[in-house]
Coordinates of all heavy atoms in Angstrom, one line a residue:
M4 N -9.7 13.4 -5.2 CA -9.2 13.2 -3.8 C -8.3 14.5 -3.5 O -7.6 14.9 -4.4 CB -8.4 12.0 -3.5 CG -9.1 10.7 -3.8 SD -8.0 9.3 -3.5 CE -8.1 9.2 -1.7
I5 N -8.3 14.9 -2.3 CA -7.4 16.0 -1.9 C -6.5 15.5 -0.9 O -6.9 15.0 0.2 CB -8.2 17.2 -1.3 CG1 -9.2 17.8 -2.4 CG2 -7.3 18.2 -0.8 CD1 -10.0 18.9 -1.9
I6 N -5.2 15.5 -1.3 CA -4.1 14.9 -0.4 C -3.3 16.1 0.1 O -2.9 17.0 -0.7 CB -3.2 14.0 -1.2 CG1 -4.1 13.0 -2.0 CG2 -2.3 13.2 -0.3 CD1 -4.9 12.0 -1.2
K7 N -3.0 16.1 1.4 CA -2.1 17.1 1.9 C -0.9 16.7 2.6 O -0.9 15.6 3.3 CB -3.0 18.0 2.9 CG -2.5 19.3 3.3 CD -3.6 20.1 3.9 CE -3.0 21.5 4.1 NZ -4.0 22.4 4.7
N8 N 0.2 17.4 2.5 CA 1.4 17.1 3.2 C 1.4 17.7 4.5 O 1.2 18.9 4.6 CB 2.6 17.6 2.3 CG 3.9 17.1 2.7 OD1 4.2 17.1 4.0 ND2 4.7 16.6 1.9
K9 N 1.7 17.0 5.5 CA 1.8 17.5 6.9 C 2.9 18.4 7.1 O 2.7 19.3 7.9 CB 2.0 16.3 7.9 CG 0.8 15.4 7.9 CD 1.2 14.1 8.7 CE 0.1 13.0 8.5 NZ 0.5 11.9 9.3
L10 N 4.0 18.3 6.6 CA 5.1 19.1 6.8 C 5.2 20.4 6.0 O 5.5 21.5 6.5 CB 6.5 18.4 6.4 CG 6.6 17.0 7.2 CD1 8.0 16.3 6.8 CD2 6.7 17.3 8.7
T11 N 4.9 20.3 4.7 CA 5.0 21.5 3.8 C 3.6 22.3 3.6 O 3.6 23.3 3.2 CB 5.6 21.2 2.4 OG1 4.6 20.2 1.8 CG2 6.9 20.5 2.5
G12 N 2.6 21.5 3.9 CA 1.3 22.1 3.6 C 0.9 22.1 2.1 O -0.2 22.5 1.8
E13 N 1.7 21.4 1.3 CA 1.3 21.2 -0.1 C 0.0 20.5 -0.3 O -0.1 19.4 0.4 CB 2.5 20.6 -0.8 CG 2.3 20.4 -2.3 CD 3.4 19.6 -2.9 OE1 4.4 19.3 -2.2 OE2 3.3 19.3 -4.1
T14 N -0.8 20.8 -1.2 CA -2.1 20.1 -1.5 C -2.1 19.6 -2.8 O -1.8 20.4 -3.8 CB -3.3 21.1 -1.2 OG1 -3.2 21.6 0.1 CG2 -4.6 20.3 -1.3
L15 N -2.5 18.4 -3.0 CA -2.7 17.8 -4.4 C -4.2 17.5 -4.5 O -4.8 16.8 -3.7 CB -1.9 16.5 -4.5 CG -0.3 16.6 -4.4 CD1 0.3 15.2 -4.5 CD2 0.2 17.5 -5.5
N16 N -4.7 17.7 -5.7 CA -6.0 17.3 -6.1 C -5.9 16.4 -7.2 O -5.7 16.8 -8.3 CB -6.8 18.5 -6.5 CG -8.4 18.2 -6.6 OD1 -8.7 17.0 -6.5 ND2 -9.1 19.2 -7.0
I17 N -5.9 15.0 -6.9 CA -5.7 13.9 -7.8 C -6.9 13.0 -7.9 O -7.5 12.8 -6.9 CB -4.4 13.2 -7.6 CG1 -4.4 12.6 -6.2 CG2 -3.2 14.1 -7.8 CD1 -3.2 11.7 -5.9
P18 N -7.0 12.3 -9.0 CA -8.1 11.3 -9.1 C -7.7 10.1 -8.3 O -6.4 9.8 -8.1 CB -8.3 11.0 -10.6 CG -7.0 11.6 -11.3 CD -6.5 12.6 -10.3
Y19 N -8.7 9.2 -8.0 CA -8.4 8.0 -7.2 C -7.3 7.1 -7.8 O -6.4 6.6 -7.2 CB -9.7 7.2 -7.0 CG -9.6 6.0 -6.2 CD1 -9.2 6.0 -4.8 CD2 -9.7 4.7 -6.8 CE1 -9.1 4.9 -4.1 CE2 -9.6 3.6 -6.1 CZ -9.3 3.7 -4.7 OH -9.1 2.5 -4.0
F20 N -7.5 6.8 -9.2 CA -6.5 5.9 -9.8 C -5.0 6.4 -9.7 O -4.1 5.6 -9.6 CB -6.9 5.5 -11.2 CG -6.7 6.7 -12.2 CD1 -5.6 7.0 -12.8 CD2 -7.9 7.6 -12.4 CE1 -5.5 8.0 -13.7 CE2 -7.7 8.6 -13.3 CZ -6.5 8.9 -13.9
E21 N -4.9 7.7 -9.8 CA -3.6 8.3 -9.6 C -3.0 8.2 -8.3 O -1.9 8.0 -8.0 CB -3.6 9.8 -10.1 CG -2.2 10.4 -10.3 CD -2.2 11.8 -10.8 OE1 -3.2 12.1 -11.6 OE2 -1.3 12.5 -10.5
F22 N -3.9 8.4 -7.3 CA -3.6 8.2 -5.8 C -3.0 6.8 -5.7 O -2.1 6.6 -4.9 CB -4.8 8.5 -5.0 CG -4.6 8.1 -3.6 CD1 -3.7 8.8 -2.7 CD2 -5.2 6.9 -3.0 CE1 -3.6 8.5 -1.4 CE2 -5.0 6.5 -1.7 CZ -4.3 7.3 -0.9
R23 N -3.8 5.7 -6.2 CA -3.4 4.4 -6.0 C -1.9 4.0 -6.6 O -1.3 3.3 -6.0 CB -4.4 3.4 -6.7 CG -5.7 3.4 -6.0 CD -5.8 2.5 -4.8 NE -5.3 1.2 -4.9 CZ -6.0 0.1 -5.0 NH1 -7.3 0.2 -5.0 NH2 -5.5 -1.1 -5.1
T24 N -1.6 4.7 -7.7 CA -0.3 4.4 -8.3 C 0.7 5.2 -7.6 O 1.8 4.7 -7.4 CB -0.4 4.7 -9.8 OG1 -0.7 6.1 -10.0 CG2 -1.3 3.8 -10.5
T25 N 0.5 6.5 -7.3 CA 1.5 7.3 -6.6 C 1.8 6.9 -5.2 O 3.0 7.0 -4.9 CB 1.0 8.8 -6.8 OG1 0.6 9.2 -8.0 CG2 2.1 9.8 -6.2
F26 N 0.8 6.6 -4.5 CA 1.0 6.3 -3.1 C 0.9 4.7 -2.8 O 0.5 4.4 -1.8 CB 0.0 7.1 -2.3 CG 0.2 8.5 -2.3 CD1 -0.5 9.3 -3.2 CD2 1.2 9.1 -1.5 CE1 -0.3 10.7 -3.1 CE2 1.4 10.5 -1.5 CZ 0.7 11.3 -2.3
S27 N 1.2 3.9 -3.8 CA 1.1 2.5 -3.5 C 1.9 1.9 -2.3 O 1.4 1.1 -1.6 CB 1.5 1.7 -4.9 OG 2.8 2.0 -5.2
K28 N 3.1 2.4 -2.2 CA 3.9 2.0 -1.1 C 3.3 2.4 0.2 O 3.3 1.6 1.1 CB 5.4 2.6 -1.2 CG 6.3 2.2 -0.2 CD 7.6 2.9 -0.3 CE 8.5 2.5 0.9 NZ 9.8 3.3 0.8
E29 N 2.8 3.6 0.4 CA 2.2 4.1 1.6 C 0.9 3.3 1.9 O 0.6 3.0 3.0 CB 1.9 5.5 1.6 CG 3.2 6.4 1.6 CD 3.8 6.7 0.3 OE1 3.4 6.0 -0.7 OE2 4.7 7.6 0.2
I30 N 0.1 2.9 0.8 CA -1.1 2.1 1.0 C -0.7 0.8 1.5 O -1.4 0.2 2.3 CB -1.9 2.1 -0.3 CG1 -2.4 3.5 -0.7 CG2 -3.0 1.1 -0.2 CD1 -3.0 3.6 -2.0
N31 N 0.3 0.2 1.0 CA 0.7 -1.1 1.4 C 1.2 -1.2 2.8 O 0.9 -2.1 3.6 CB 1.9 -1.7 0.5 CG 1.3 -2.1 -0.9 OD1 0.1 -2.4 -1.0 ND2 2.2 -2.1 -1.9
V32 N 1.9 -0.2 3.3 CA 2.4 -0.1 4.6 C 1.1 0.1 5.6 O 1.0 -0.6 6.6 CB 3.3 1.1 4.8 CG1 3.6 1.4 6.2 CG2 4.7 0.9 4.1
A33 N 0.2 0.9 5.2 CA -1.0 1.2 6.0 C -1.9 -0.1 6.1 O -2.4 -0.4 7.1 CB -1.8 2.3 5.4
F34 N -2.0 -0.8 4.9 CA -2.7 -2.1 4.9 C -2.1 -3.1 5.8 O -2.8 -3.8 6.5 CB -3.0 -2.6 3.5 CG -3.6 -4.0 3.5 CD1 -5.0 -4.0 3.8 CD2 -3.0 -5.1 3.2 CE1 -5.7 -5.2 3.8 CE2 -3.7 -6.3 3.2 CZ -5.1 -6.3 3.5
E35 N -0.8 -3.3 5.7 CA -0.1 -4.3 6.6 C -0.3 -3.9 8.0 O -0.5 -4.8 8.9 CB 1.3 -4.4 6.2 CG 1.6 -5.2 4.9 CD 1.0 -6.5 4.9 OE1 1.1 -7.3 5.9 OE2 0.4 -6.9 4.0
S36 N -0.2 -2.7 8.4 CA -0.4 -2.2 9.8 C -1.9 -2.6 10.2 O -2.1 -3.0 11.3 CB -0.1 -0.8 9.9 OG -0.3 -0.4 11.3
Y37 N -2.8 -2.1 9.4 CA -4.2 -2.4 9.6 C -4.5 -3.9 9.8 O -5.1 -4.4 10.8 CB -5.1 -1.9 8.5 CG -6.5 -2.4 8.4 CD1 -7.4 -1.6 9.2 CD2 -7.0 -3.3 7.7 CE1 -8.7 -2.0 9.3 CE2 -8.3 -3.7 7.8 CZ -9.2 -3.1 8.6 OH -10.5 -3.4 8.6
R38 N -3.8 -4.8 8.9 CA -4.1 -6.2 8.9 C -3.5 -6.8 10.2 O -4.2 -7.6 10.9 CB -3.3 -6.8 7.8 CG -3.5 -8.3 7.6 CD -2.7 -8.8 6.3 NE -2.8 -10.3 6.3 CZ -2.0 -11.0 6.8 NH1 -1.0 -10.5 7.5 NH2 -2.1 -12.3 6.7
K39 N -2.4 -6.4 10.7 CA -1.8 -6.9 11.9 C -2.6 -6.5 13.2 O -2.8 -7.2 14.1 CB -0.3 -6.4 12.1 CG 0.7 -7.0 11.2 CD 2.1 -6.4 11.4 CE 3.0 -7.0 10.3 NZ 4.3 -6.3 10.4
T40 N -3.1 -5.2 13.1 CA -4.0 -4.8 14.2 C -5.3 -5.6 14.3 O -5.7 -6.0 15.4 CB -4.3 -3.3 14.0 OG1 -3.1 -2.5 14.0 CG2 -5.1 -2.7 15.2
Q41 N -5.9 -5.8 13.2 CA -7.1 -6.5 13.0 C -7.0 -8.0 13.4 O -7.8 -8.5 14.2 CB -7.8 -6.5 11.7 CG -8.3 -5.0 11.4 CD -9.2 -4.4 12.4 OE1 -10.1 -5.1 12.8 NE2 -8.9 -3.2 12.8
L42 N -5.9 -8.6 13.1 CA -5.6 -10.0 13.5 C -5.4 -10.1 14.9 O -5.7 -11.2 15.5 CB -4.5 -10.6 12.6 CG -4.8 -10.8 11.1 CD1 -3.6 -11.3 10.4 CD2 -5.9 -11.8 11.0
N43 N -4.7 -9.1 15.5 CA -4.5 -9.2 17.0 C -5.8 -9.0 17.8 O -6.0 -9.5 18.8 CB -3.5 -8.2 17.4 CG -2.1 -8.6 17.0 OD1 -1.8 -9.7 16.9 ND2 -1.2 -7.6 16.9
K44 N -6.8 -8.3 17.2 CA -8.1 -8.1 17.8 C -9.0 -9.3 17.8 O -9.3 -9.8 18.9 CB -8.8 -6.9 17.3 CG -8.2 -5.6 17.6 CD -9.1 -4.5 17.0 CE -8.6 -3.1 17.1 NZ -9.5 -2.2 16.5
Y45 N -9.3 -9.7 16.6 CA -10.2 -10.8 16.4 C -10.0 -11.5 15.1 O -10.6 -11.2 14.1 CB -11.7 -10.4 16.6 CG -12.0 -9.0 15.9 CD1 -12.2 -8.8 14.5 CD2 -12.1 -7.9 16.8 CE1 -12.5 -7.6 14.1 CE2 -12.4 -6.7 16.3 CZ -12.6 -6.5 14.9 OH -12.9 -5.3 14.3
S46 N -9.1 -12.5 15.1 CA -8.8 -13.1 13.9 C -9.8 -14.1 13.3 O -9.9 -14.4 12.2 CB -7.5 -13.9 14.1 OG -7.6 -14.8 15.1
Y47 N -10.7 -14.5 14.2 CA -11.8 -15.5 13.8 C -12.8 -14.8 12.9 O -13.5 -15.5 12.2 CB -12.5 -16.0 15.1 CG -13.3 -14.9 15.8 CD1 -14.6 -14.6 15.5 CD2 -12.6 -14.2 16.8 CE1 -15.2 -13.6 16.2 CE2 -13.3 -13.2 17.5 CZ -14.6 -12.8 17.2 OH -15.3 -11.8 17.8
K48 N -12.9 -13.5 12.9 CA -13.9 -12.8 12.1 C -13.6 -12.8 10.6 O -14.4 -12.8 9.8 CB -14.0 -11.4 12.6 CG -15.3 -10.7 12.3 CD -15.3 -9.4 13.0 CE -16.7 -8.7 12.7 NZ -16.8 -7.4 13.3
F49 N -12.4 -12.9 10.3 CA -11.9 -12.9 8.8 C -11.6 -14.2 8.3 O -10.7 -14.9 8.8 CB -10.7 -11.9 8.7 CG -11.0 -10.5 9.1 CD1 -10.6 -10.1 10.3 CD2 -11.8 -9.7 8.3 CE1 -10.9 -8.7 10.7 CE2 -12.1 -8.4 8.7 CZ -11.6 -7.9 9.9
K50 N -12.3 -14.7 7.3 CA -12.0 -15.9 6.7 C -10.9 -15.9 5.7 O -10.2 -16.9 5.5 CB -13.3 -16.4 6.0 CG -14.4 -16.7 7.0 CD -15.6 -17.3 6.2 CE -16.7 -17.8 7.1 NZ -17.4 -16.9 7.8
D51 N -10.6 -14.7 5.1 CA -9.5 -14.6 4.2 C -9.1 -13.2 4.1 O -9.8 -12.3 4.8 CB -9.9 -15.1 2.8 CG -11.1 -14.4 2.2 OD1 -11.6 -13.4 2.7 OD2 -11.7 -14.9 1.2
D52 N -8.0 -12.9 3.3 CA -7.6 -11.5 3.3 C -8.4 -10.7 2.4 O -8.4 -9.4 2.5 CB -6.1 -11.4 2.7 CG -5.1 -11.7 3.7 OD1 -5.4 -11.7 4.9 OD2 -3.9 -12.1 3.3
N53 N -9.3 -11.2 1.6 CA -10.2 -10.4 0.7 C -11.2 -9.6 1.6 O -11.4 -8.4 1.2 CB -11.0 -11.2 -0.3 CG -10.0 -11.8 -1.3 OD1 -9.0 -11.2 -1.6 ND2 -10.3 -12.9 -2.0
S54 N -11.7 -10.2 2.5 CA -12.7 -9.4 3.4 C -11.9 -8.4 4.2 O -12.5 -7.3 4.5 CB -13.4 -10.4 4.4 OG -12.5 -11.1 5.3
M55 N -10.7 -8.7 4.6 CA -10.0 -7.7 5.4 C -9.6 -6.5 4.5 O -9.7 -5.3 4.9 CB -8.7 -8.3 6.0 CG -8.0 -7.4 7.0 SD -6.6 -8.2 7.8 CE -7.4 -9.6 8.5
E56 N -9.3 -6.8 3.3 CA -8.9 -5.7 2.3 C -10.1 -4.9 2.0 O -10.1 -3.7 1.8 CB -8.3 -6.4 1.0 CG -7.7 -5.3 0.1 CD -7.0 -6.0 -1.0 OE1 -6.9 -7.2 -1.1 OE2 -6.5 -5.2 -2.0
F57 N -11.3 -5.5 1.8 CA -12.5 -4.8 1.6 C -12.8 -3.8 2.7 O -13.1 -2.7 2.4 CB -13.6 -5.8 1.4 CG -15.0 -5.1 1.3 CD1 -15.4 -4.5 0.1 CD2 -15.8 -5.1 2.4 CE1 -16.6 -3.9 0.0 CE2 -17.1 -4.4 2.3 CZ -17.4 -3.8 1.1
N58 N -12.6 -4.2 3.9 CA -12.9 -3.4 5.1 C -11.9 -2.3 5.1 O -12.3 -1.1 5.5 CB -12.8 -4.2 6.4 CG -14.0 -5.1 6.5 OD1 -15.1 -4.9 6.0 ND2 -13.9 -6.2 7.2
F59 N -10.6 -2.5 4.7 CA -9.6 -1.5 4.7 C -10.0 -0.4 3.7 O -10.0 0.8 4.0 CB -8.3 -2.1 4.4 CG -7.2 -1.1 4.2 CD1 -6.6 -0.4 5.3 CD2 -6.8 -0.6 3.0 CE1 -5.5 0.5 5.2 CE2 -5.8 0.3 2.8 CZ -5.2 0.9 3.8
Y60 N -10.4 -0.8 2.5 CA -10.6 0.2 1.4 C -12.1 0.8 1.6 O -12.3 1.9 1.0 CB -10.6 -0.4 0.0 CG -9.2 -0.6 -0.4 CD1 -8.6 -1.9 -0.4 CD2 -8.4 0.5 -0.7 CE1 -7.3 -2.0 -0.8 CE2 -7.1 0.4 -1.2 CZ -6.5 -0.9 -1.2 OH -5.2 -1.0 -1.6
F61 N -13.0 0.2 2.4 CA -14.3 0.7 2.7 C -14.1 2.1 3.4 O -14.8 3.0 3.1 CB -15.0 -0.2 3.5 CG -16.5 0.3 3.8 CD1 -17.5 0.3 2.8 CD2 -16.8 0.7 5.1 CE1 -18.7 0.8 3.0 CE2 -18.1 1.2 5.3 CZ -19.1 1.2 4.3
D62 N -13.1 2.1 4.3 CA -12.9 3.4 5.1 C -11.4 3.7 4.8 O -10.6 4.0 5.8 CB -13.2 3.2 6.5 CG -13.3 4.5 7.3 OD1 -13.4 5.5 6.6 OD2 -13.5 4.5 8.5
L63 N -11.1 4.0 3.6 CA -9.7 4.3 3.1 C -9.2 5.5 3.8 O -8.0 5.6 4.2 CB -9.6 4.4 1.6 CG -8.2 4.7 1.1 CD1 -7.2 3.6 1.4 CD2 -8.3 5.0 -0.4
Q64 N -9.9 6.5 3.9 CA -9.5 7.8 4.4 C -8.9 7.6 5.9 O -7.8 8.0 6.2 CB -10.5 8.9 4.4 CG -10.0 10.2 4.8 CD -11.1 11.3 4.7 OE1 -12.2 11.1 4.2 NE2 -10.7 12.5 5.1
W65 N -9.8 7.1 6.7 CA -9.4 6.9 8.1 C -8.2 5.9 8.2 O -7.2 6.2 8.9 CB -10.5 6.4 9.0 CG -10.3 6.6 10.4 CD1 -10.6 7.6 11.2 CD2 -9.6 5.7 11.3 NE1 -10.3 7.4 12.5 CE2 -9.7 6.2 12.6 CE3 -9.0 4.4 11.1 CZ2 -9.1 5.6 13.6 CZ3 -8.4 3.8 12.2 CH2 -8.5 4.4 13.5
N66 N -8.2 4.8 7.5 CA -7.2 3.8 7.7 C -5.9 4.3 7.1 O -4.8 4.1 7.8 CB -7.6 2.5 6.9 CG -8.7 1.8 7.7 OD1 -8.8 1.8 8.9 ND2 -9.6 1.2 6.9
F67 N -5.9 5.0 6.0 CA -4.6 5.5 5.4 C -4.0 6.5 6.4 O -2.8 6.6 6.6 CB -4.9 6.2 4.1 CG -3.6 6.7 3.4 CD1 -2.8 5.8 2.7 CD2 -3.4 8.0 3.4 CE1 -1.7 6.3 2.1 CE2 -2.2 8.5 2.8 CZ -1.4 7.6 2.1
N68 N -4.9 7.5 6.9 CA -4.3 8.5 7.8 C -3.9 7.9 9.1 O -3.0 8.6 9.7 CB -5.5 9.5 8.0 CG -5.7 10.3 6.7 OD1 -5.0 10.3 5.8 ND2 -6.9 11.0 6.8
H69 N -4.4 6.9 9.6 CA -4.1 6.5 10.9 C -3.1 5.2 11.0 O -2.4 5.0 11.9 CB -5.3 6.2 11.8 CG -6.1 7.3 12.1 ND1 -7.1 7.9 11.3 CD2 -6.0 8.2 13.2 CE1 -7.5 9.0 11.9 NE2 -7.0 9.2 13.0
F70 N -3.2 4.4 10.0 CA -2.2 3.2 9.9 C -1.0 3.5 9.1 O -0.1 2.7 9.2 CB -3.1 2.0 9.4 CG -4.0 1.5 10.5 CD1 -5.4 1.6 10.3 CD2 -3.6 0.9 11.6 CE1 -6.3 1.1 11.2 CE2 -4.5 0.4 12.5 CZ -5.8 0.5 12.4
G71 N -1.1 4.4 8.3 CA 0.0 4.7 7.3 C 1.1 5.5 8.0 O 0.9 6.3 8.9
I72 N 2.4 5.3 7.5 CA 3.5 6.1 7.9 C 3.9 7.0 6.8 O 4.7 6.6 5.9 CB 4.7 5.3 8.5 CG1 4.2 4.3 9.6 CG2 5.9 6.1 9.0 CD1 5.2 3.3 9.9
S73 N 3.3 8.1 6.8 CA 3.5 9.0 5.6 C 3.4 10.5 6.0 O 2.7 10.8 6.9 CB 2.5 8.7 4.5 OG 2.7 9.6 3.4
N74 N 4.1 11.3 5.3 CA 3.9 12.7 5.4 C 2.6 13.3 4.8 O 2.3 14.4 5.0 CB 5.1 13.6 4.9 CG 6.4 13.3 5.7 OD1 6.3 12.9 6.9 ND2 7.5 13.3 5.1
W75 N 2.0 12.5 4.0 CA 0.8 12.8 3.3 C -0.4 12.3 4.1 O -0.3 11.2 4.6 CB 0.8 12.3 1.9 CG 1.9 13.0 1.0 CD1 3.2 12.5 0.9 CD2 1.8 14.2 0.3 NE1 3.9 13.3 0.1 CE2 3.0 14.3 -0.3 CE3 0.7 15.1 0.0 CZ2 3.3 15.5 -1.1 CZ3 1.0 16.1 -0.7 CH2 2.3 16.3 -1.3
Y76 N -1.5 12.9 4.0 CA -2.8 12.4 4.5 C -4.0 12.8 3.6 O -3.9 13.8 2.9 CB -3.0 12.8 6.0 CG -3.3 14.3 6.1 CD1 -4.7 14.8 6.1 CD2 -2.3 15.3 6.2 CE1 -4.9 16.1 6.3 CE2 -2.6 16.6 6.4 CZ -3.9 17.0 6.5 OH -4.2 18.4 6.5
I77 N -4.9 12.0 3.6 CA -6.2 12.3 2.8 C -7.0 13.3 3.5 O -7.6 13.0 4.6 CB -6.9 10.9 2.5 CG1 -6.0 10.0 1.8 CG2 -8.1 11.2 1.7 CD1 -6.7 8.6 1.6
E78 N -7.2 14.5 3.0 CA -8.1 15.4 3.5 C -9.5 15.3 3.2 O -10.4 15.4 4.0 CB -7.6 16.8 3.2 CG -8.2 18.0 3.9 CD -7.7 19.3 3.5 OE1 -8.1 19.9 2.6 OE2 -6.7 19.7 4.2
R79 N -9.8 14.9 1.9 CA -11.1 14.6 1.4 C -11.1 13.7 0.2 O -10.2 13.9 -0.6 CB -11.8 16.0 1.0 CG -13.2 15.9 0.8 CD -13.9 17.3 0.7 NE -13.0 18.4 0.6 CZ -13.2 19.3 -0.5 NH1 -14.1 19.2 -1.2 NH2 -12.3 20.2 -0.6
I80 N -12.1 12.8 0.2 CA -12.2 11.9 -1.0 C -13.3 12.5 -1.9 O -14.3 13.0 -1.5 CB -12.6 10.5 -0.5 CG1 -11.4 9.9 0.2 CG2 -13.0 9.7 -1.7 CD1 -11.6 8.5 0.7

């Protein structure tokens, strides 16, 4: 994965498992924001949090970049 800092322009080329450990706080913030947004749209569609989490990780790049509050964004997976 290529992760880039919006402020400094610093670029990191890290594997997925390292991304999950390094940016776990930012991923959790993005997921909670995604979850609240989806529940406000159509809560009847999700039977449990597992399907919502699957949908979040299915398009991780877009969701992390748009729902997360971070100086880092995923440039390429």
Side-chain angles (χ1 to χ4, degrees):
M4 298 180 81
I5 298 177
I6 315 296
K7 194 166 189 178
N8 190 313
K9 296 174 190 174
L10 301 177
T11 63
E13 179 185 357
T14 303
L15 298 175
N16 190 358
I17 59 175
Y19 179 71
F20 68 88
E21 189 177 330
F22 169 76
R23 292 281 307 258
T24 57
T25 306
F26 293 97
S27 62
K28 181 181 174 187
E29 289 87 348
I30 292 171
N31 287 335
V32 168
F34 176 70
E35 285 304 314
S36 179
Y37 171 81
R38 184 176 176 275
K39 288 177 186 175
T40 301
Q41 295 303 316
L42 287 175
N43 284 335
K44 285 183 183 177
Y45 37 80
S46 61
Y47 64 88
K48 199 172 184 183
F49 299 104
K50 293 181 171 75
D51 57 13
D52 277 344
N53 290 336
S54 61
M55 192 174 301
E56 189 173 359
F57 173 78
N58 290 335
F59 174 79
Y60 284 107
F61 182 73
D62 198 6
L63 178 63
Q64 182 175 0
W65 195 92
N66 290 326
F67 182 81
N68 293 345
H69 290 88
F70 287 108
I72 302 170
S73 176
N74 291 332
W75 295 90
Y76 69 95
I77 300 173
E78 190 172 88
R79 191 167 15 128
I80 291 182

